[in-house]
Amino acid sequence: MRMSWDLTFVLLKSGGALGLLLTTVPFLVWMERKVSARFQRRVGPNRVGPFGLLQTFIDGGKLLFKEQFSPRGADKFIFFMAPVLTFLPAVVAFGLIPLGEIRLGDSTFLLSVADADLALVAILALSSLTSYGIAYAGWSSNNQYSLLGGIRSCAQLVSYEIVLGLAVIAVILQTGSLNLGEIIRGQDRLLFGFLPAWNIFLQPVTFFLFLVAAFAETNRAPFDLPEAEQELVGGYHTEYSGLRWAWFMFGEYAALFSMCCLITVLFLGGWTLPGVLDHLPIGLVRGAAGAAVFLLKVYALIFFFMWVRWTLPRLRWDQLMRLGWMRLIPLGLGNIFLTVFLIEAFR
């Protein structure tokens, strides 16, 4: 009976997380179109539904009924599986991120599908799997532009995953845990009586490294070299159409949402707001308020990602590689040594 209840609880949480992600991605597409319109002095979607909110769902319906084109000479199986391998890791990684916690008596429930002690390692491993889907899409399309986009993606993701890992190591040294819940609880205090003890203030260099690597991991401009429509037509997804192309877009925005959730956990205190939420009664009220705070932080980060995309020009390929290997990786190594020195000095 106990096992049956646990399985039912996990399935309910999994369905809730998937439902949240499926409704969030269309909203992010609408948000991207509105933000880009503001930057370009346009209006953006405003006809279908209130404020144009239903425009994304209409576009998704059109993609659903479009022809599923497969180029001649393509590897059919890998060509079909590549979009799945692109969006699936982001969906699974999102299930490991706690959006809040609810305390009822002596029990504490995390708002995540699974509370794993090695959740941070699992999320980093899942994020690296995205490169396989993109590389397979480029190779299986039998298109030179697609192949070049896939090769670019592999080189870019491998390079900046090193930077991402170096930044995570500094956070682990600071917090002493790989559990995302423990990392968040370690930031639930005030410095000097007024400043939240978030890692963005304790480790600003680490936050900068992780943020730049996150742009590269999610293929967001100015690091969108795998697509680079001015050079590669559409990059790795040039030969995709209809629903298969939609899976790539779904994976891109799901990865963006998951990455912003991870940044919120590691550097912005997650669901905590020291000195504010402490005054709320323990239970459902504080849990709901914490989840709302978490999502507000996430959407603020997403807006920043969109702001950067529509502000900065794309880097050249040699500039991208030089920045990663000759600037950020040495900076990340030096940051680790500095973190260890400060921890030992103030111990």
Side-chain angles (χ1 to χ4, degrees):
M1 186 66 181
R2 174 68 178 176
M3 179 179 292
S4 176
W5 167 246
D6 290 342
L7 179 60
T8 303
F9 191 51
V10 170
L11 290 176
L12 288 174
K13 292 195 295 184
S14 301
L18 183 60
L20 177 61
L21 202 58
L22 289 175
T23 54
T24 298
V25 168
F27 176 77
L28 292 183
V29 176
W30 172 85
M31 182 178 173
E32 177 98 72
R33 297 175 70 175
K34 295 295 284 189
V35 170
S36 64
R38 291 295 181 182
F39 276 87
Q40 299 170 358
R41 292 200 169 202
R42 297 185 290 107
V43 177
N46 66 339
R47 296 298 181 91
V48 184
F51 306 104
L53 283 169
L54 299 180
Q55 182 66 56
T56 305
F57 294 96
I58 299 300
D59 293 339
K62 290 191 296 184
L63 290 173
L64 183 63
F65 293 102
K66 279 193 172 182
E67 179 186 1
Q68 301 295 317
F69 173 78
S70 297
R72 182 181 302 172
D75 189 305
K76 302 294 184 182
F77 178 73
I78 297 180
F79 185 81
F80 172 77
M81 290 299 298
V84 180
L85 293 176
T86 302
F87 86 90
L88 194 59
V91 175
V92 178
F94 176 71
L96 299 173
I97 299 175
L99 305 183
E101 68 173 1
I102 299 176
R103 297 180 183 177
L104 298 176
D106 297 332
S107 302
T108 300
F109 302 95
L110 282 180
L111 298 180
S112 63
V113 177
D115 180 21
D117 291 333
L118 298 178
L120 183 56
V121 176
I123 291 173
L124 294 179
L126 288 168
S127 66
S128 65
L129 293 178
T130 306
S131 60
Y132 286 94
I134 295 177
Y136 286 155
W139 174 79
S140 64
S141 295
N142 194 28
N143 182 302
Q144 299 302 318
Y145 291 113
S146 300
L147 178 61
L148 186 55
I151 294 174
R152 281 185 174 187
S153 176
C154 289
Q156 176 176 314
L157 292 179
V158 169
S159 302
Y160 282 85
E161 276 175 2
I162 299 175
V163 181
L164 203 70
L166 293 175
V168 169
I169 290 173
V171 174
I172 295 172
L173 291 172
Q174 172 73 29
T175 59
S177 177
L178 289 169
N179 185 282
L180 298 181
E182 294 298 327
I183 292 175
I184 293 175
R185 296 185 192 100
Q187 303 174 68
D188 190 12
R189 65 184 194 278
L190 292 174
L191 297 174
F192 313 112
F194 69 93
L195 185 66
W198 296 344
N199 288 329
I200 187 176
F201 302 120
L202 296 175
Q203 297 200 38
V205 177
T206 305
F207 173 74
F208 170 76
L209 290 171
F210 195 95
L211 186 66
V212 175
F215 275 97
E217 284 289 301
T218 54
N219 292 328
R220 299 284 298 184
F223 299 144
D224 57 338
L225 271 300
E227 299 178 21
E229 61 274 4
Q230 290 88 349
E231 306 170 17
L232 305 179
V233 185
Y236 60 91
H237 58 67
T238 298
E239 299 290 354
Y240 284 87
S241 62
L243 191 59
R244 295 173 186 171
W245 180 85
W247 284 126
F248 279 116
M249 294 300 102
F250 183 90
E252 177 181 335
Y253 283 98
L256 172 62
F257 187 71
S258 299
M259 185 60 71
C260 289
C261 288
L262 185 59
I263 295 174
T264 301
V265 168
L266 296 180
F267 297 100
L268 299 180
W271 62 77
T272 65
L273 202 60
V276 178
L277 297 184
D278 300 338
H279 302 292
L280 297 177
I282 296 177
L284 294 176
V285 175
R286 184 183 291 188
V293 168
F294 187 98
L295 291 177
L296 283 175
K297 295 175 182 178
V298 170
Y299 278 106
L301 281 170
I302 291 174
F303 175 76
F304 176 74
F305 270 71
M306 294 178 179
W307 188 346
V308 171
R309 174 180 180 178
W310 298 102
T311 302
L312 299 181
R314 180 185 299 118
L315 296 178
R316 292 199 318 264
W317 179 249
D318 60 311
Q319 293 173 332
L320 178 76
M321 290 290 103
R322 189 180 301 113
L323 175 65
W325 287 97
M326 300 182 65
R327 301 291 186 273
L328 297 183
I329 291 179
L331 181 60
L333 291 171
N335 181 59
I336 290 177
F337 287 111
L338 178 61
T339 302
V340 173
F341 173 77
L342 293 177
I343 290 174
E344 292 297 326
F346 288 98
R347 179 172 291 181

